[in-house]
Structure formats: C-alpha cells, structure tokens
Amino acid sequence: MFFKLILENANGDRIDMTATANQYMTSKVEGLKPPTGTISTSNYAGMDGSYLNNAFIEMRNVVISFEMRSLGVEARRHQLYKVVKPSRYIQDLLCDRWH
C-alpha cells in the first residue's frame, strides 16, 4: 500500500509527510474505521415500516503516528510545527495509490 499525505493549515502552508522515508516515516494509522451512529425512528398506526426522526454520526479521530529519521531532525520538527499547531485547523490532502 502506497499513499501520499500532505497536511495544510488555515493559512495555506503545506508540508508533505511522505516526501522521503528519510524524513517522516509513517508507523501507524488509527481511526479509519467507520464512526458509530445513532438512528431514531418512530412507528405510526396505519403506516407500514417506520418514520425516520433523525440520524447522528459521531466524529472520528484519525491519529497518524510517524517517526523522524536521519540527520536534521530538529530542523524538520520546527518545519512541522509551523504547519501543524495544536487545536488549529488542519486539512489532509490524502492521495491514495493502491497497488
């Protein structure tokens, strides 16, 4: 399985997390399972089936663990913190390439 992961913040700054294996190496991805959901229905007299009142799907938290390798780890860490800030908007531009 090969994939490309690019992170983008609200300012449009981007960082390619899959540039090379010597920079950022993805070790584990969690949270890709379908989120849980709640469906509320009601039955009415004289009506076949049931009526959908509402449906709610929980948010899911995707956690991507990675390791930094090779030389210049400190510089890459600062480069990463410029784009990825705690509790700030982040968009992933994930381009799957399945082989």
Side-chain angles (χ1 to χ4, degrees), residues 5-51:
L5 177 65
I6 300 170
L7 300 178
E8 180 180 68
N9 66 10
N11 297 332
D13 301 325
R14 290 182 177 187
I15 187 165
D16 186 356
M17 298 298 292
T18 53
T20 64
N22 291 334
Q23 290 187 5
Y24 306 104
M25 187 169 186
T26 304
S27 58
K28 183 168 51 168
V29 179
E30 297 175 335
L32 296 179
K33 294 181 181 176
T36 58
T38 305
I39 298 174
S40 173
T41 60
S42 298
N43 295 327
Y44 292 108
M47 183 175 150
D48 291 337
S50 61
Y51 179 77

Side-chain angles (χ1 to χ4, degrees), residues 4-92:
K4 187 166 189 76
L5 177 65
I6 300 170
L7 300 178
E8 180 180 68
N9 66 10
N11 297 332
D13 301 325
R14 290 182 177 187
I15 187 165
D16 186 356
M17 298 298 292
T18 53
T20 64
N22 291 334
Q23 290 187 5
Y24 306 104
M25 187 169 186
T26 304
S27 58
K28 183 168 51 168
V29 179
E30 297 175 335
L32 296 179
K33 294 181 181 176
T36 58
T38 305
I39 298 174
S40 173
T41 60
S42 298
N43 295 327
Y44 292 108
M47 183 175 150
D48 291 337
S50 61
Y51 179 77
L52 175 66
N53 293 328
N54 63 14
F56 179 77
I57 296 178
E58 296 285 337
M59 289 186 0
R60 62 181 178 173
N61 189 20
V62 177
V63 178
I64 302 170
S65 302
F66 65 93
E67 300 171 8
M68 288 191 228
R69 302 220 169 160
S70 191
L71 301 173
V73 171
E74 191 68 19
R76 283 196 308 273
R77 185 176 66 84
H78 286 288
Q79 182 184 17
L80 180 65
Y81 286 162
K82 282 183 181 179
V83 176
V84 180
K85 297 181 193 247
S87 72
R88 300 286 182 175
Y89 171 82
I90 258 287
Q91 177 180 355
D92 65 327

